[in-house]
Amino acid sequence: MLVNTICLLVKGDPIESVLLARKKRGFGEGKIVAAGGTVEADETVVQAAAREIQEELSVTIELEDLERAARIEFYFPGKPEWNRVVFVYLARKWAGEPVESDEVNPQ
């Protein structure tokens, strides 16, 4: 099963806004998504979340600023190769402003 992360950049306590993005290519193309991706063999889930945010939105998040919010398992009976577990993180602090990449367009 694939292991993925997503990270929601949030403002407010309680949360008042969440940054999402339109996916430009790959799995979920054309959909509104949270930034994230696949955990690589040489990294932890939390490291992957921070890396994916940097790659997709050009913002930096310190690992200790990622708050684990959920673990979700997705099963695709017609395409079991798509099965995945997704770890969801919240970030209330980050450095930089989110910008468009070749992967996503922040909304």
Side-chain angles (χ1 to χ4, degrees), residues 42-94:
D42 63 340
E43 65 187 353
T44 66
V45 174
V46 72
Q47 288 169 331
R51 175 185 53 77
E52 289 286 350
I53 286 291
Q54 175 63 45
E55 290 175 1
E56 293 186 4
L57 298 175
S58 296
V59 299
T60 303
I61 301 172
E62 299 296 327
L63 297 183
E64 62 270 11
D65 290 330
L66 287 168
E67 173 187 335
R68 186 167 161 185
R71 178 185 187 275
I72 307 168
E73 293 184 13
F74 293 93
Y75 295 95
F76 297 86
K79 287 202 174 234
E81 66 273 15
W82 287 5
N83 291 352
R84 63 194 66 229
V85 58
V86 179
F87 292 88
V88 181
Y89 289 88
L90 302 179
R92 298 171 192 276
K93 261 176 39 172
W94 59 88

Side-chain angles (χ1 to χ4, degrees), residues 23-30 103:
K23 182 81 168 169
K24 294 168 61 176
R25 63 185 174 106
F27 188 81
E29 180 177 351
E103 186 90 17

Side-chain angles (χ1 to χ4, degrees), residues 7-11 17-19 53 57 59 61 89-91 94 98:
C7 184
L8 301 167
L9 303 183
V10 300
K11 291 185 179 179
S17 65
V18 177
L19 178 76
I53 286 291
L57 298 175
V59 299
I61 301 172
Y89 289 88
L90 302 179
W94 59 88

